[in-house]
Amino acid sequence: LRHGFRRMIAPLTLLLTQFFWFVLPTLLELRATIPQTRYSSGILAVLHSAQYIWITSYYHQRDARAAGQPNWRLAGYFVTLVAGGIALFIPGPWIVSYLFHYDFTTSFLIFTALVNIHHFLLDGAIWKLRDTRVSSVLVAGSGDSSASQTLKANARPAKSKRAYGFFSSPAFRVAVVGLFFLWGAADQVRFALGTDNESLPSMMRAAAMNPYDTMVLTRIGHAQETAGQSDKAIATLTRAADLNPGNATLQQSCALAMIASGRYQEAYDRYKKMLAVLPNNSDALVNYGLLAMRLGHPSEEAINSWQKAIAADPRRADAYLYLAQTSDQDGEVSTAVRNWHSYLALAAAPDSNIPLEQRIPATIQMADDEARLNQSAAALADYSLAVSLAEVGKGDPKLQSIALGRLADLQEKTGDARAAAASYQRGLALDALVGDPQGEASDWFNYGQFLRRHALPDNLAYACFVRAENLLANNAGQALDTVKAARRQFDAQLGKKAAAVQNDVQLNFAALLAGATRLPASSFR
């Protein structure tokens, strides 16, 4: 400060500007009050505009005084600039929106882009004035401009003179400025009403002021959904989607609202329209396929849609999942296995958000398909993987028990009875924790059959059958009928020994069950 405060204004201004532009956004983000993106797109633009007003006001004031206009005022200049800004950004989108029924939001963005292009062109012309040769061309003859304007004015017809006088009069200019300010105020009121997400009537008033603003219509639609007005919500979202067919978010919101209301055919038609405009939208392609299946269309339509979704986005794990499930239903087991592999590879990726609760059943199903294709080694590995996945974290004993049961069955078929016994016993131990009578009954029944096939004591296998029948006592159905039929067949095969086995099971039921689950591996050949 040795040279005085006036000489420090310029560097201090530069320092303060840099602080506002680069340091303050980070501080605001750390305080979690204003996102940096919001600051950069809003406040930064205001500061940039203020910078321009500051610079241009200096030169405009200098030129006005040089031209003998001592009454120049910054306030008047500022009001003129504000009116000009309103004229650039507000009337155009409103008029286009009303006349051509065009989305107001899109129209506003287009006008903003045009103004920015003009801004860049103007900047380029201004900076070129630093080159004396360019400057001499761009501003040549400026000294004669006032005289030439006077000659042109005198040469106009009387009617043109009156019109020129009217449009150049201070009253007309004040009226135009006032109109622009009223228009700007109305636009701000509409914006405030349209962004009041807590008040549906306020948003409805905003839509009445401009019925072609998809942003407002979308908010109204979501508010109507929340209020339980599903039919009105769908009508509002459909109107918004029709105003802007190229907006994927709008189309999705409309279709999902239809799905939530059970209007599947309308949702299907909406996605069909959407895909005509946005053929590579993977979300639409996936949902279109699901709706085609739900409506009973041939599976080829859904499969084709999901394949297109994968072509548009190779990381669409859900599309692979639906392809695998549909291939299984159609009996295309080898195709299903390929799709299961693709789905599970994406599900196991570090950036995947697919939970284990979905990965485990898919792994079991893939192993089932591999077993059907006699790919025993792959199936055994995948059943074991499913068991391991079910142990992760807090674990899922039900899925782990299912995987162990399938693993045990395949281990027996491949000649490894000892490993099969261990898997069955692990599964039964888990069943006690699950609380699923049907699943536990199935495991006891399968284990009893396994014991019979390997010639273990009859009373152990019989106790397993009785345990399965007891678990299903309150669930009359095919499973219970199967267990009863198997026990009757067992009784017939036992013949005279049946009564003794039944009596032993009745007297030592708990001990026999415990003994069955603790049979050592050496008991099996």
Side-chain angles (χ1 to χ4, degrees), residues 71-85:
N71 294 326
W72 185 90
R73 294 289 184 273
L74 177 61
Y77 181 67
F78 181 75
V79 169
T80 303
L81 290 179
V82 173

Side-chain angles (χ1 to χ4, degrees), residues 217-218 220-226 228-241 248-268 270-271 287 291:
L217 290 174
T218 303
I220 292 173
H222 291 322
Q224 289 169 330
E225 274 189 295
T226 304
Q229 303 171 9
S230 59
D231 291 340
K232 290 182 178 180
I234 290 172
T236 303
L237 292 171
T238 300
R239 185 179 175 190
T249 303
L250 284 177
Q251 304 299 324
Q252 284 276 34
S253 295
C254 180
L256 292 175
M258 293 171 176
I259 292 172
S261 296
R263 293 159 67 165
Y264 303 117
Q265 183 61 52
E266 292 179 53
Y268 173 85
R270 171 57 55 182
Y271 276 121
N287 290 342
L291 288 165

Side-chain angles (χ1 to χ4, degrees), residues 94 98 186 189-194 196 199-211 216 220:
W94 276 74
Y98 264 96
V189 169
R190 187 194 66 83
F191 178 80
L193 292 172
D196 188 0
S199 174
L200 182 56
S202 295
M203 292 188 287
M204 295 292 287
R205 284 194 290 271
M209 294 175 69
N210 189 331
V216 174
I220 292 173

Side-chain angles (χ1 to χ4, degrees), residues 188-508:
Q188 289 301 302
V189 169
R190 187 194 66 83
F191 178 80
L193 292 172
T195 54
D196 188 0
N197 295 326
E198 302 298 324
S199 174
L200 182 56
S202 295
M203 292 188 287
M204 295 292 287
R205 284 194 290 271
M209 294 175 69
N210 189 331
Y212 308 108
D213 190 342
T214 57
M215 190 175 293
V216 174
L217 290 174
T218 303
R219 291 195 187 102
I220 292 173
H222 291 322
Q224 289 169 330
E225 274 189 295
T226 304
Q229 303 171 9
S230 59
D231 291 340
K232 290 182 178 180
I234 290 172
T236 303
L237 292 171
T238 300
R239 185 179 175 190
D242 289 340
L243 281 171
N244 195 345
N247 189 314
T249 303
L250 284 177
Q251 304 299 324
Q252 284 276 34
S253 295
C254 180
L256 292 175
M258 293 171 176
I259 292 172
S261 296
R263 293 159 67 165
Y264 303 117
Q265 183 61 52
E266 292 179 53
Y268 173 85
D269 295 336
R270 171 57 55 182
Y271 276 121
K272 195 169 188 177
K273 276 186 180 181
M274 178 180 174
L275 289 170
V277 180
L278 303 166
N280 295 320
N281 187 283
S282 62
D283 289 330
L285 287 164
V286 169
N287 290 342
Y288 181 78
L290 289 172
L291 288 165
M293 291 293 290
R294 189 176 190 95
L295 294 170
H297 295 191
S299 60
E300 289 78 9
E301 183 180 5
I303 289 171
N304 183 53
S305 186
W306 293 326
Q307 287 173 340
K308 288 181 179 178
I310 291 169
D313 181 3
R315 296 189 62 79
R316 286 300 306 227
D318 52 351
Y320 282 113
L321 173 64
Y322 302 137
L323 283 171
Q325 291 172 337
T326 305
S327 298
D328 269 333
Q329 293 171 6
D330 292 345
E332 299 289 340
V333 182
S334 58
T335 302
V337 169
R338 288 198 301 271
N339 288 312
W340 285 124
H341 273 292
S342 298
Y343 169 73
L344 290 169
L346 291 171
D351 59 345
S352 171
N353 58 0
I354 298 174
L356 283 175
E357 291 77 10
Q358 294 179 21
R359 290 175 57 192
I360 299 167
T363 305
I364 294 172
Q365 184 60 53
M366 181 174 69
D368 288 344
D369 288 340
E370 289 168 337
R372 290 166 66 187
L373 294 172
N374 294 321
Q375 299 174 1
S376 300
L380 288 170
D382 287 324
Y383 282 134
S384 299
L385 174 61
V387 172
S388 300
L389 290 174
E391 289 177 329
V392 174
K394 295 181 180 179
D396 190 326
K398 183 175 182 178
L399 286 175
Q400 190 178 356
S401 175
I402 292 172
L404 284 166
R406 307 284 178 85
L407 176 62
D409 182 60
L410 185 57
Q411 285 170 332
E412 183 187 11
K413 287 178 181 177
T414 56
D416 193 352
R418 294 181 177 183
S423 296
Y424 274 126
Q425 291 168 4
R426 285 180 64 192
L428 289 169
L430 289 167
D431 287 337
L433 306 174
V434 174
D436 177 18
Q438 288 186 319
E440 187 177 358
S442 176
D443 286 345
W444 277 111
F445 177 71
N446 291 333
Y447 188 53
Q449 296 278 46
F450 173 74
L451 295 179
R452 286 187 64 196
R453 286 192 295 269
H454 291 274
L456 272 298
D458 292 331
N459 55 354
L460 295 179
Y462 201 91
C464 292
F465 286 166
V466 172
R467 175 58 176 164
E469 192 172 333
N470 291 342
L471 286 166
L472 294 172
N474 298 324
N475 295 282
Q478 186 177 356
L480 180 59
D481 293 340
T482 300
V483 174
K484 286 183 176 180
R487 192 160 71 88
R488 285 195 297 269
Q489 183 184 26
F490 197 5
D491 286 337
Q493 291 174 348
L494 288 172
K496 295 180 180 179
K497 293 170 53 180
V501 170
Q502 292 172 3
N503 186 57
D504 186 27
V505 169
Q506 186 175 7
L507 293 174
N508 303 296

